[in-house]
């Protein structure tokens, strides 16, 4: 399986996991800055960018296992994850199955919001046999990514978050509409060794729009840990 990746720097490995519908380019500025002090592994996730899809995909854990296989092939053990949105789902599931040193999660997905009246109606009509148009992400996705998306959004990781035992830094945009700030606050409550930093006026892509500030905070966080 071809995985499009770029590795630069040395010492402690940082693995970058981008969000849904994106690719490794979103993390390029961060890898460039942090590669002075860390070994940065930036990649297109499976089915995105120039990376292949996972053959015989059955469940979301297959996505996690495929990432582990890739990292082992690069002699990367006990990584530190820097993950955005969908990538944070992968990082959380990974940390519960394989060794991880720490995680920086930004605009992280993983907490399922309460169903709105509109969504409840859509579910009701679907069960009654009415054909409903899917979300923009779903309609745009390939068959493989549709399966991944369904598996991802149907999982609430709240209980899994309680089991995370590594240091976690949560960085959130104050005005995030995709994964609202209340989700970041909830994750902070659930993850015992977590800290939460909020970027004032930032949105879901605050980590990218203020990448220099983001990287400075990440570096300060990691230097404060006994890794």
């Amino acid at each position: 399986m071809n995985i499009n990746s770029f590795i630069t720097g040395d010492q402690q490995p940082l693995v970058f996991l981008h969000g849904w519908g994106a690719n490794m380019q979103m993390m390029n500025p961060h890898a460039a800055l942090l590669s002075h002090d860390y070994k940065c592994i930036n990649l297109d996730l499976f089915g995105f960018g120039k990376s292949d899809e996972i053959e015989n995909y059955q469940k979301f854990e297959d996505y996690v296992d495929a990432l582990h296989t890739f990292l082992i092939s690069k002699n990367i053990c006990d990584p530190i994850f820097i993950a955005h949105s969908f990538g944070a789902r992968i990082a959380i599931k990974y940390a519960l199955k394989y060794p991880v040193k720490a995680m920086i999660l930004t605009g992280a997905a993983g907490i399922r919001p309460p169903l709105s009246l509109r969504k409840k109606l859509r579910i009701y009509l679907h069960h009654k046999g009415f054909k409903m148009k899917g979300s923009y992400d779903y309609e745009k996705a390939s068959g493989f990514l549709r399966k991944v998306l369904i598996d991802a959004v149907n999982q609430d990781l709240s209980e899994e978050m309680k089991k995370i035992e590594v240091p976690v830094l949560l960085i959130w945009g104050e005005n995030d509409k995709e994964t609202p700030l209340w989700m970041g606050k909830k994750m902070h409550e659930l993850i015992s060794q977590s800290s939460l930093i909020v970027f004032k006026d930032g949105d879901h892509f605050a980590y990218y729009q203020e990448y220099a500030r983001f990287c400075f905070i990440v570096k300060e966080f990691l230097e404060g840990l006994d890794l």
Side-chain angles (χ1 to χ4, degrees), residues 64-80:
V64 175
D65 292 341
L67 175 62
H68 180 66
T69 299
F70 165 76
L71 294 180
I72 293 300
S73 73
K74 300 297 183 182
N75 298 314
I76 297 164
C77 301
D78 299 331
I80 296 167

Side-chain angles (χ1 to χ4, degrees), residues 111-120 156 182-183:
I111 293 181
R112 188 163 55 191
L115 290 176
S116 65
L117 181 60
R118 181 178 180 181
K119 287 185 179 179
K120 289 180 180 178
D156 187 295
W182 70 263
M183 292 185 178

Side-chain angles (χ1 to χ4, degrees), residues 7-75:
I7 301 176
T8 184
D10 52 22
Q11 302 183 39
Q12 179 70 46
L14 301 183
V15 178
F16 297 83
L17 305 177
H18 62 74
W20 188 269
N23 55 48
M24 64 187 294
Q25 291 184 12
M26 294 295 290
M27 299 291 195
N28 279 345
H30 310 75
L33 283 179
L34 292 170
S35 63
H36 298 293
D37 302 286
Y38 300 92
K39 181 177 183 178
C40 293
I41 302 93
N42 196 12
L43 69 148
D44 287 337
L45 290 171
F46 314 107
F48 296 99
K50 298 179 181 179
S51 289
D52 291 344
E53 299 178 349
I54 299 171
E55 293 184 5
N56 302 317
Y57 172 87
Q58 298 295 323
K59 57 187 184 302
F60 194 71
E61 283 70 17
D62 295 340
Y63 212 97
V64 175
D65 292 341
L67 175 62
H68 180 66
T69 299
F70 165 76
L71 294 180
I72 293 300
S73 73
K74 300 297 183 182
N75 298 314

Side-chain angles (χ1 to χ4, degrees), residues 8-209:
T8 184
D10 52 22
Q11 302 183 39
Q12 179 70 46
L14 301 183
V15 178
F16 297 83
L17 305 177
H18 62 74
W20 188 269
N23 55 48
M24 64 187 294
Q25 291 184 12
M26 294 295 290
M27 299 291 195
N28 279 345
H30 310 75
L33 283 179
L34 292 170
S35 63
H36 298 293
D37 302 286
Y38 300 92
K39 181 177 183 178
C40 293
I41 302 93
N42 196 12
L43 69 148
D44 287 337
L45 290 171
F46 314 107
F48 296 99
K50 298 179 181 179
S51 289
D52 291 344
E53 299 178 349
I54 299 171
E55 293 184 5
N56 302 317
Y57 172 87
Q58 298 295 323
K59 57 187 184 302
F60 194 71
E61 283 70 17
D62 295 340
Y63 212 97
V64 175
D65 292 341
L67 175 62
H68 180 66
T69 299
F70 165 76
L71 294 180
I72 293 300
S73 73
K74 300 297 183 182
N75 298 314
I76 297 164
C77 301
D78 299 331
I80 296 167
F81 283 122
I82 298 181
H84 174 239
S85 197
F86 168 72
R89 286 185 181 272
I90 303 168
I92 291 168
K93 297 288 286 188
Y94 190 105
L96 295 175
K97 191 170 184 178
Y98 302 109
V100 169
K101 288 285 189 181
M103 296 190 290
I104 297 92
L105 309 179
T106 178
I111 293 181
R112 188 163 55 191
L115 290 176
S116 65
L117 181 60
R118 181 178 180 181
K119 287 185 179 179
K120 289 180 180 178
L121 177 60
R122 288 174 61 87
I123 293 172
Y124 173 79
L125 292 175
H126 174 75
H127 287 311
K128 288 297 182 180
F130 291 91
K131 289 188 176 181
M132 306 297 294
K133 187 176 181 180
S135 68
Y136 173 79
D137 286 337
Y138 181 84
E139 293 295 328
K140 189 177 180 181
S142 66
F144 162 70
L145 287 179
R146 286 185 177 187
K147 291 179 183 178
V148 174
L149 181 61
I150 291 171
D151 289 341
V153 300
N154 284 334
Q155 287 190 4
D156 187 295
L157 303 181
S158 298
E159 290 302 313
E160 282 90 339
M161 292 176 194
K162 296 177 183 178
K163 302 174 185 177
I164 293 176
E165 298 179 348
V166 299
V168 177
L169 175 62
L170 302 166
I171 301 180
W172 233 267
E174 179 185 32
N175 298 324
D176 191 329
K177 302 299 183 185
E178 302 300 319
T179 52
L181 180 56
W182 70 263
M183 292 185 178
K185 293 178 178 179
K186 184 65 176 178
M187 289 186 187
H188 180 36
E189 294 175 4
L190 294 170
I191 301 173
S192 60
Q193 298 186 59
S194 67
S195 303
L196 173 64
I197 293 178
V198 180
F199 281 17
K200 184 175 175 59
D201 298 325
D203 60 19
H204 192 53
F205 297 95
Y207 82 97
Y208 180 78
Q209 295 156 349

